[in-house]
Amino acid sequence: MLEHFQWFSFLAAIMVLTMSPGVDTIIVMRNSVTGGWRLGFLTSLGICMGLFAHATVSALGLSVILLGSAGLFTAFKLLGAAYLVYLGVQALRSAWRPKGMTFDTSKGPKALTSWGSFRQGLLSNVLNPKPIIFYMAFLPQFIDPSHSALAQSLFMASLHFIIAMVWQTFLALMVHRARVWLARPKVAQVLDGLTGVLLVGFGVRLALSQR
């Protein structure tokens, strides 16, 4: 199955995609600011687990149905957009009452938990139809028709998982190393405000996109 796999082309494309700033990067860094590298890591884990869902859906052809039904696709897209806007509003609310980064997730009724971090990452990925479109357009060129499409799709998702986890964990660790600077309320306010605006912007753009 791997004899003719185009390793360089696939890995190069996935690395560029992974390292390009986007929703995943923003959420990982925000949660790293809120609760340290561990919560950033768990957020990344949730995001990357969503890749297997998209790969499975694409390989089984369910995304063809999703993309072929305008109503279903629009509903799915709006659900994902609403979730991004929700995360953005939460960040803007934090910016309104800046406290600085504490790395203590045990205080306060709305403290970010390990499960909450993982769930945010998973939902932000699974509820975003863009990865489905990407996988549907990108993966087929690397699939050998003489072997299982599902097995090959999951294999490629595994490579994507490893690359994304390494990159996003690196980002979480970099944020953690800057914790003293990030602990300043004014810095936290700027970062929360920027994060909130970007997430709301991504959500609105997703809702208004034609595909």
Side-chain angles (χ1 to χ4, degrees):
M1 183 176 72
L2 301 179
E3 294 85 356
H4 306 292
F5 187 72
Q6 303 173 51
W7 288 94
F8 179 79
S9 299
F10 178 82
L11 293 177
I14 288 298
M15 288 181 68
V16 170
L17 173 70
T18 299
M19 298 177 70
S20 299
V23 175
D24 295 347
T25 302
I26 293 171
I27 295 177
V28 168
M29 295 185 69
R30 159 129 175 100
N31 287 355
S32 298
V33 167
T34 303
W37 75 269
R38 181 172 174 274
L39 293 191
F41 173 83
L42 291 172
T43 304
S44 176
L45 182 61
I47 290 171
C48 294
M49 288 301 292
L51 299 176
F52 292 105
H54 291 305
T56 301
V57 166
S58 297
L60 296 178
L62 296 179
S63 54
V64 174
I65 299 175
L66 181 63
L67 296 176
S69 172
L72 182 59
F73 179 78
T74 298
F76 191 73
K77 180 180 68 174
L78 291 178
L79 183 61
Y83 187 68
L84 292 180
V85 170
Y86 166 77
L87 293 179
V89 170
Q90 293 295 98
L92 290 174
R93 290 179 61 187
S94 296
W96 189 256
R97 306 181 187 85
K99 297 180 180 179
M101 183 182 60
T102 63
F103 288 101
D104 185 353
T105 61
S106 63
K107 296 179 180 179
K110 296 183 179 180
L112 190 62
T113 63
S114 298
W115 167 244
S117 300
F118 177 83
R119 184 180 62 221
Q120 278 189 12
L122 181 64
L123 290 179
S124 69
N125 187 279
V126 171
L127 294 179
N128 187 354
K130 292 303 178 68
I132 292 180
I133 298 175
F134 172 79
Y135 270 20
M136 282 294 293
F138 182 69
L139 296 189
Q141 61 187 301
F142 298 97
I143 290 179
D144 184 347
S146 63
H147 295 86
S148 169
L150 178 58
Q152 293 177 82
S153 294
L154 292 177
F155 168 73
M156 287 184 279
S158 297
L159 294 178
H160 192 179
F161 176 94
I162 294 170
I163 293 171
M165 282 297 300
V166 170
W167 171 246
Q168 292 169 2
T169 300
F170 169 76
L171 292 178
L173 288 170
M174 289 301 98
V175 170
H176 179 73
R177 290 177 65 87
R179 61 189 180 279
V180 175
W181 178 68
L182 293 170
R184 301 173 183 174
K186 284 295 184 181
V187 174
Q189 183 178 35
V190 171
L191 290 177
D192 278 331
L194 181 60
T195 298
V197 169
L198 289 174
L199 286 174
V200 170
F202 276 120
V204 171
R205 188 176 69 175
L206 177 59
L208 297 178
S209 64
Q210 298 301 310
R211 291 186 59 84

